[in-house]
Amino acid sequence: MAVSSTLAFSDSIIQGRQFCENLRLGSYGLSSSNNLKLKGREPRWNFCSMNSELMLARLRFGTESSRKFPILSSLTPNITGEVASPLEQRVYDVVLKRANLVKEHQKSDGLEMKLDIVLPGTQQMLNEAYNRCGEVCAEYAKTFYLGTKLMTPERRKAIWAIYVWCRRTDELVDGHNASHITSTALDKWESRLEDIFSNRSYDMLDAALSDTVLKFHVDIQPFKDMIEGMRMDLVKSRYKNFDELYLYCYYVAGTVGLMSVPVMGIAPNSHATTESVYGASLALGIANQLTNILRDVGEDARRGRIYLPQDELAQAGLSDEDVFEGRVTDRWRNFMKNQIERARKYFEDAEKGVTELNQASRWPVWASLVLYRQILDEIEANDYNNFTKRAYVPKCKKLIALPVAYTRALIR
């Protein structure tokens, strides 16, 4: 893949300076402090100081299983055994499109790249940009960062760049300036995303992502969908049924899998369809977000939010008042058992796809799956009290889980 780099046109420089100044001032919700304190539910991602990144704001970097995940339709049961809804079909249509794009661009190993015209110092600046992304990942996702060290250098750097963009995006609605974020600010962030995919970067972190999406043929739609999830957080605090909640989980977490699969790669000897691997990555994102929601019920309630299906609450004989008052009753326990069972089914389906990933990419994904699934165990150990007790996996269990995840990563 040819890679070229040019200096920005003067208008791009001016726009870049203004946008970065807005970022520095917090106009778009990015924290200016490394000490992040995010709202309620654990952030899907967040971000830290951008002071060191702004030095490159004037540059424009250009870089030219036995049961497969089912194809969802109104007549086909989904992975939970339920009939797929139109919203689920809408999400899976995205999965199919992403998988087809990968097929079009697949090469022997997907990493063959040739540099075309590179201005003096440009590659060094890109290396610095990727290193900065790695520092952010190491600081805020230590376990995941450790797993990425097993990847090939190009894959590792690309995953860092995607990770950082997602953290910055989440910071818009979950960071210090979240109360000032409007739909207009998210529109500007989406416009900036389009610039990144058109090889116009406002800072060094943008440059790393721009380089990544061209090297690995990453599509823009999952990134746009994540921004759509941020828009939902601005206006929506209740979900009538699981269909609505499923769409939200896709927007804020399922999208990450669709962004990452082209980078992580599918094992050369895999007989699974590309669609099934993408479907499993979506399932893992849904499972992780459902786990976040179940763990953080109390924290969300204190912010006036309930990320639980309203119709299922009513069927269990529960109301919003029960959630806000934090009543751990038999009705609540039974309700939580059903919610946990659903999340575990998504984890089970995700397992089938993880084994099909390129071996060098499996460990961080396995670690995420194993550790997050254990949070559900901790909720049960707390007698389903997720109002005043935060379920977390003790460090000793994490230490035991990591070699287990590593062993699974080695075996298909």
Side-chain angles (χ1 to χ4, degrees), residues 79-322:
I79 60 176
T80 64
E82 303 165 346
V83 173
S85 70
L87 289 180
E88 288 178 314
Q89 179 63 53
R90 174 177 163 188
V91 170
Y92 202 68
D93 286 344
V94 176
V95 172
L96 292 176
K97 186 176 180 182
R98 301 289 76 70
N100 288 332
L101 285 173
V102 168
K103 289 177 182 176
E104 292 173 9
H105 296 296
Q106 253 176 352
K107 295 181 180 179
S108 58
D109 136 308
L111 296 176
E112 295 182 6
M113 297 163 291
K114 294 181 180 179
L115 294 180
D116 189 4
I117 301 173
V118 181
L119 293 181
T122 298
Q123 191 58 50
Q124 180 182 352
M125 291 177 179
L126 273 176
N127 289 338
E128 290 176 0
Y130 278 120
N131 289 338
R132 178 56 184 146
C133 291
E135 290 171 3
V136 174
C137 187
E139 183 173 358
Y140 293 101
K142 293 179 176 60
T143 300
F144 184 77
Y145 175 79
L146 181 62
T148 64
K149 298 294 283 184
L150 296 179
M151 296 180 179
T152 61
E154 292 298 332
R155 285 193 173 109
R156 176 168 64 238
K157 293 188 297 184
I159 287 296
W160 292 344
I162 292 173
Y163 175 91
V164 167
W165 183 87
C166 292
R167 293 192 74 93
R168 298 171 87 178
T169 301
D170 187 76
E171 180 77 350
L172 294 173
V173 297
D174 272 342
H176 294 299
N177 297 298
S179 59
H180 304 294
I181 291 299
T182 64
S183 180
T184 300
L186 292 176
D187 290 342
K188 291 181 178 179
W189 188 247
E190 184 168 351
S191 177
R192 175 170 175 163
L193 172 69
E194 291 170 351
D195 284 342
I196 292 172
F197 274 75
S198 298
N199 310 327
R200 294 190 294 274
S201 305
Y202 291 86
D203 62 29
M204 69 191 310
L205 303 181
D206 285 356
L209 182 59
S210 184
D211 188 52
T212 289
V213 299
L214 282 163
K215 285 180 177 178
F216 291 92
H217 308 293
V218 179
D219 188 63
I220 194 173
Q221 191 60 48
F223 294 82
K224 286 189 170 186
D225 286 345
M226 178 172 279
I227 295 174
E228 188 62 30
M230 305 303 127
R231 290 192 179 97
M232 289 180 70
D233 265 336
L234 293 180
V235 299
K236 197 172 180 67
S237 60
R238 300 289 190 282
Y239 293 83
K240 289 188 288 188
N241 49 47
F242 183 69
D243 289 347
E244 288 190 358
L245 187 61
Y246 176 89
L247 184 62
Y248 173 75
C249 290
Y250 160 69
Y251 280 148
V252 301
T255 49
V256 180
L258 304 191
M259 298 172 190
S260 304
V261 170
V263 175
M264 292 187 169
I266 299 174
N269 58 343
S270 172
H271 297 294
T273 64
T274 307
E275 291 87 349
S276 69
V277 177
Y278 267 80
S281 71
L282 169 64
L284 180 57
I286 299 295
N288 284 347
Q289 188 59 27
L290 288 176
T291 300
N292 277 344
I293 288 169
L294 298 179
R295 179 196 58 198
D296 298 338
V297 168
E299 295 178 30
D300 289 332
R302 287 187 282 277
R303 296 187 302 138
R305 292 181 173 275
I306 298 178
Y307 291 94
L308 299 168
Q310 292 284 300
D311 60 343
E312 295 179 23
L313 278 171
Q315 291 168 11
L318 299 166
S319 65
D320 287 359
E321 287 68 29
D322 292 308

Side-chain angles (χ1 to χ4, degrees), residues 13-51:
I13 295 175
I14 294 171
Q15 293 172 8
R17 284 175 175 168
Q18 182 60 52
F19 200 95
C20 288
E21 180 64 15
N22 289 336
L23 288 175
R24 185 181 67 79
L25 296 174
S27 302
Y28 296 104
L30 294 176
S31 174
S32 59
S33 168
N34 283 327
N35 299 319
L36 296 170
K37 185 176 181 181
L38 303 182
K39 303 182 302 179
R41 147 182 61 78
E42 177 170 307
R44 296 166 292 273
W45 315 88
N46 64 34
F47 190 53
C48 59
S49 173
M50 293 185 61
N51 293 337

